[in-house]
Amino acid sequence: MRIAGKLLTTVGAVGMSLAIAANGVAAQDDKITVRSIPIGNLKVLDPIWTTAYITRNHAYMVWDTLFATDENGEIQPQMVDTWDASEDGLTWTFTLRDGLLWHDGAPVTAEDCVASLKRWGARDGMGRTLLDFTDSIEAVDDKTFKMVLNEPVGFVLDALGKIDSNVPFMMPKRIAETDPNEQIEEIIGSGPFRFVADEWVPGSQVVYEKFEEYVPRDEPPSLAAGGKVVHIDRVESVYMPDAGVAMAALAGGEVDLNESPPTELLPMLEGNPDVVLAPNDPLGYQLFLVINHLHPPFDNKAARQALQWGNRQSDYMATIVGDPDRWQECGAMYGCGTGSESHAGEEPVLGFDLDKAKALLEEAGYDGSPVVLMDPADNSTLHPAALVGAQSLRRMGMEVEVQAMDWSTLTQRRASKDAISDGGWNVFITNSTIAGISNPLIHSFAKNCEKAWYGWPCEPKAAELVREWALETDSAKRKALTDQIQALNYENVTYIPLGQYRPVVAYRSNITDVIPSPSLFYWGLKKTAD
């Protein structure tokens, strides 16, 4: 199933997508096939190399995790059978459950998991923090491995069971030993579906088939935890960049499910007895502006602070969500409704003041050079948000160059530190599940200095306080640290929250048992005849 050298032919035409899907159905008449529209075009297949949600969703099909988060936010075992921690909290021992196999038939071993954890820990913010407190990880026998810490910390299971990017997916040792700064070339997992490499058409279709040898846990499914029982044979993920065509395809029964229907087109489906619209994440998402701190004008703090005062959350939320019952203004970096909700330093985030924004730009010495804003034109949520962002910057007096691209291209280009004149970028808008940013340790997008995400902010004191937060067990002291960390990030303008909203998923009425979650899980889901 090696994919290196595979022809990366892009077939973007919707008609071609449907034709491929139709051919797939014709060839698979005896199988239960779900045809779905993903949140974007899958280009990067390595969930450790990128935090992109389209890749995370793909990864949940193919790979499995040691632990997982359930619907109550509790961490539950998944690939792990038993585990224990020594009395001093320094030595953690994990034993895998029976029957775990890779898609090529080889057994999952402790050495595979050790290599996977090391690679994940080199890329993920929470993983790097965990490895900072780790002296060694080593296999004890084929099914058991041991982690020895240099200080006792209370987030070991929280890290191993985190639900959002980068998720610590387990891979075979030979694959997990790939340089963490390079993408893997084999897609072999041990999850409930296997990736069908021969049917992958980049820019058009991704196919998964049920992994018949997968042994689910006995517990009922609960968010990312519990038994991953698969009731369908095949998933055809058909990329449709035209949102209107995608909605029409669902309404007409040509596809079964749309993972991210655009708000402005929901009236096309409302009242259709054959289509269900349902919330897919109780806490929802945070929309936010990512700022490149390396290049002018935003290498100047006053220019970044101008962005805080000059962007108004309601402008974004009213555009991308509309229905006021599904969004709220929220100044909390770690989300509203979470245990780490804080209002420290939020005034510029919520206190729109155009005059102050213009004054700060003048203080920063902004010279009128164009600001490059990357616009993922194929993303039904982020594209309209990018247009609102462009208008907001222009309202402040900035020249804006909107560069349209597809979302997958953006997720690769955002890694570039090149100067603007050499193809670099200044800002883009993206989103995160609230579950994925709900405390200072897990929030990858608000890390600083050597652990910083794209945009590369550096507020050394904030980074130091996150480490203190990780070691602190007193809830009142943790709350105080959370306030300090948030205030420092807002003072330095690490990034800018643009509102909190709850999206929906749309599917045909013969689809049932869809698990509400930040990602779209295809285990548990059932499909009956129309």
Side-chain angles (χ1 to χ4, degrees), residues 13 26 41 46 89 106 195 224 259 294 390 417 460 494 508:
N41 180 18
D46 184 348
F195 174 72
E259 296 182 3
L294 302 181
K417 295 183 179 180
T494 299
R508 301 286 295 178

Side-chain angles (χ1 to χ4, degrees), residues 16 25 49 87 149 154 245 325 383 401 505 525:
M16 179 65 78
V25 170
W49 189 84
E87 287 190 9
L149 308 180
V245 172
D325 291 335
H383 169 58
E401 181 180 335
V505 60
L525 178 151

Side-chain angles (χ1 to χ4, degrees), residues 35 129 145 222 302 452 454 499 509:
R35 298 187 299 280
T129 302
F145 66 96
S222 177
Y454 308 112
S509 57

Side-chain angles (χ1 to χ4, degrees), residues 359-404:
L360 283 163
L361 271 186
E362 184 175 352
E363 176 186 328
Y366 172 61
D367 63 0
S369 297
V371 168
V372 172
L373 185 154
M374 295 194 292
D375 170 18
D378 64 333
N379 188 300
S380 60
T381 298
L382 302 182
H383 169 58
L387 299 184
V388 174
Q391 183 57 33
S392 298
L393 268 60
R394 289 175 179 133
R395 185 170 57 191
M396 287 179 246
M398 307 187 81
E399 290 293 324
V400 183
E401 181 180 335
V402 177
Q403 296 188 2

Side-chain angles (χ1 to χ4, degrees), residues 159-339:
L160 300 183
K162 71 190 292 261
I163 191 171
D164 213 355
S165 304
N166 301 92
V167 178
F169 292 110
M170 296 297 106
M171 300 179 178
K173 181 172 182 282
R174 68 178 186 282
I175 300 174
E177 288 181 338
T178 301
D179 185 323
N181 296 310
E182 297 177 4
Q183 296 183 46
I184 61 174
E185 296 184 347
E186 270 189 290
I187 308 303
I188 298 289
S190 66
F193 292 88
R194 66 181 187 86
F195 174 72
V196 184
D198 292 344
E199 296 191 52
W200 179 38
V201 183
S204 181
Q205 176 179 267
V206 186
V207 174
Y208 307 91
E209 288 188 344
K210 177 181 180 179
F211 179 42
E212 298 291 350
E213 282 69 45
Y214 181 78
V215 180
R217 297 188 66 87
D218 293 332
E219 301 90 341
S222 177
L223 203 60
K228 298 180 178 179
V229 179
V230 176
H231 301 285
I232 55 179
D233 297 297
R234 179 177 164 94
V235 176
E236 296 172 351
S237 183
V238 183
Y239 174 55
M240 294 187 185
D242 187 308
V245 172
M247 295 293 269
L250 179 63
E254 295 168 355
V255 297
D256 300 299
L257 188 150
N258 188 334
E259 296 182 3
S260 182
T263 292
E264 73 273 15
L265 297 183
L266 289 181
M268 290 176 63
L269 302 178
E270 291 169 347
N272 185 330
D274 297 322
V275 176
V276 175
L277 300 175
N280 67 341
D281 185 353
L283 278 175
Y285 282 70
Q286 180 186 87
L287 188 76
F288 59 92
L289 179 69
V290 182
I291 307 165
N292 191 331
H293 288 228
L294 302 181
H295 306 306
F298 303 123
D299 57 347
N300 184 301
K301 185 164 73 174
R304 299 195 298 273
Q305 291 175 335
L307 294 177
Q308 282 180 315
W309 290 103
N311 279 282
R312 184 165 47 200
Q313 291 194 353
S314 58
D315 291 342
Y316 292 89
M317 293 294 100
T319 299
I320 70 166
V321 185
D323 182 354
D325 291 335
R326 293 201 292 115
W327 64 267
Q328 65 182 108
E329 292 192 333
C330 174
M333 175 172 281
Y334 307 109
C336 290
T338 69

Side-chain angles (χ1 to χ4, degrees), residues 13-80:
V14 171
M16 179 65 78
S17 298
L18 290 172
I20 290 170
N23 289 339
V25 170
Q28 305 292 335
D29 281 343
D30 57 337
K31 294 185 176 182
I32 300 175
T33 298
V34 168
R35 298 187 299 280
S36 68
I37 301 167
I39 62 173
N41 180 18
L42 180 68
K43 286 186 176 178
V44 178
L45 301 179
D46 184 348
I48 304 303
W49 189 84
T50 182
T51 57
Y53 283 162
I54 180 65
T55 303
R56 176 205 62 186
N57 295 355
H58 149 76
Y60 268 115
M61 303 287 281
V62 177
W63 288 285
D64 212 345
T65 56
L66 296 172
F67 290 85
T69 304
D70 71 11
E71 62 191 21
N72 298 314
E74 302 295 326
I75 302 299
Q76 304 293 346
Q78 186 54 235
M79 297 172 73
V80 163

